[in-house]
Amino acid sequence: MLGSISMTVSNLKYRRVILKVTGEVLAGAQKFGIDGTMVRAFAEEIKEVKALGCEMALVMGGGNIFRGAEAGEWVMERATADTMGMLATVINSLALQDALEKIGVSTRVMSAIEMRQVAEPYIRRRATRHLEKGRVVIFAGGTGNPYFTTDTTASLRAMEIGAEVILKATKVDGVYDADPLKHAGAKRYGELTYIDVLNKELKVMDSTAISLCMDNHLPIIVFNILQKGNIKRVVAGEDIGTLVSTGRK
Ligand code: UDP
């Protein structure tokens, strides 16, 4: 449990990370929207990891509110639907910012879509400065472009800010050979290469995001965010979840 893990900055394996949070996580037990209890619990965990000296940037998804591809197939212009999805990520980012600031964590929301009254515009050098100053940076608005996802945003921003790893927070313990919520016998992979993920069409992140990580040798760790203390365990280098990398040690 979270309270029993004691470590200091010297125990950290990763000093600068991108945490990709899928919108569904914020919905908690609900299927849609934002569950306040969930957001508060999540903020507490981030605070504890931050206190260890880990520089944290978050990329918020928006699937708990709106996914462009789903509406695009239906009646809407895809680009418009995707813009709505990107705005959903801003709503989630503000919810998390509020929860973090309430418990004394200094944050900045940086949006890829300019909306100065709401969030800072995304400027790479400013983002790294915020991290150096100990602020949690929340990247909102995806990449700012339709036809992309927040997984790709996480890969892109990770490269831009020099993050050592992408932590992909999900509701299951890692990557499985079948959906563990539907198949009792599903097996979890401890490690995978990018090529495995692409060839087996495993649902880690979309192929654009995986390719970007592969081209730039950026490791991804897929882990269960619902298990208390897991963000801490991952940044400390504990072997949980599934590591996706080049496979070379
Ligand atoms: N989106 C987009 N461009 C981006 C990032 C996101 O158009 O660079 C839109 C897209 O419609 C997507 C929605 O925003 O479905 C929400 O993001 P995502 O599906 O990645 O959220 P998650 O599944 O992680 O909650």
Side-chain angles (χ1 to χ4, degrees):
M1 283 285 98
L2 198 60
S4 63
I5 303 170
S6 101
M7 59 184 80
T8 61
V9 67
S10 58
N11 297 120
L12 292 179
K13 176 162 184 188
Y14 303 108
R15 302 293 174 92
R16 180 174 286 183
V17 302
I18 286 259
L19 178 62
K20 161 67 213 290
V21 188
T22 186
E24 268 177 50
V25 168
L26 295 196
Q30 309 162 187
K31 287 226 156 43
F32 178 83
I34 299 173
D35 173 351
T37 313
M38 195 67 200
V39 179
R40 280 192 293 276
F42 185 40
E44 288 289 351
E45 291 230 23
I46 291 169
K47 181 178 181 171
E48 295 203 22
V49 179
K50 188 83 238 357
L52 300 173
C54 182
E55 293 180 354
M56 294 189 81
L58 313 181
V59 170
M60 291 304 308
N64 55 322
I65 300 173
F66 202 83
R67 277 208 180 88
E70 287 158 20
E73 283 165 13
W74 178 47
V75 278
M76 292 192 71
E77 187 76 33
R78 172 68 189 268
T80 306
D82 278 338
T83 303
M84 290 167 67
M86 289 187 273
L87 293 177
T89 73
V90 180
I91 294 175
N92 284 336
S93 298
L94 294 180
L96 191 60
Q97 175 175 49
D98 181 79
L100 284 166
E101 299 261 340
K102 278 211 168 74
I103 56 172
V105 180
S106 178
T107 67
R108 292 290 186 276
V109 174
M110 303 192 98
S111 175
I113 299 172
E114 206 172 296
M115 47 177 89
R116 285 174 183 272
Q117 288 83 352
V118 175
E120 283 186 18
Y122 170 67
I123 296 168
R124 186 183 69 83
R125 289 174 65 100
R126 195 174 281 174
T128 53
R129 189 80 190 111
H130 287 321
L131 291 172
E132 283 159 12
K133 288 196 163 182
R135 296 170 186 139
V136 171
V137 176
I138 305 170
F139 292 124
T143 60
N145 301 291
Y147 297 97
F148 285 91
T149 63
T150 52
D151 283 346
T152 304
T153 311
S155 311
L156 176 64
R157 295 287 183 253
M159 249 70 85
E160 288 183 284
I161 65 163
E164 295 153 287
V165 65
I166 295 180
L167 309 180
K168 162 96 178 170
T170 66
K171 289 158 74 176
V172 290
D173 287 332
V175 185
Y176 285 77
D177 57 359
D179 185 345
L181 302 175
K182 292 185 188 145
H183 304 273
K187 269 195 7 248
R188 179 171 64 84
Y189 296 101
E191 280 192 31
L192 284 164
T193 63
Y194 305 107
I195 288 291
D196 285 337
V197 172
L198 293 173
N199 288 345
K200 294 187 168 97
E201 296 185 10
L202 297 170
K203 290 191 173 51
V204 177
M205 301 207 293
D206 58 82
S207 56
T208 312
I210 295 289
S211 306
L212 204 52
C213 291
M214 181 166 73
D215 291 348
N216 295 281
H217 308 288
L218 184 81
I220 306 158
I221 299 174
V222 184
F223 73 104
N224 188 348
I225 188 91
L226 301 183
Q227 173 90 40
K228 224 177 163 205
N230 264 0
I231 312 178
K232 233 180 195 179
R233 292 188 180 96
V234 176
V235 297
E238 249 187 68
D239 191 12
I240 60 166
T242 302
L243 169 70
V244 183
S245 67
T246 54
R248 277 182 252 120
K249 295 276 171 192

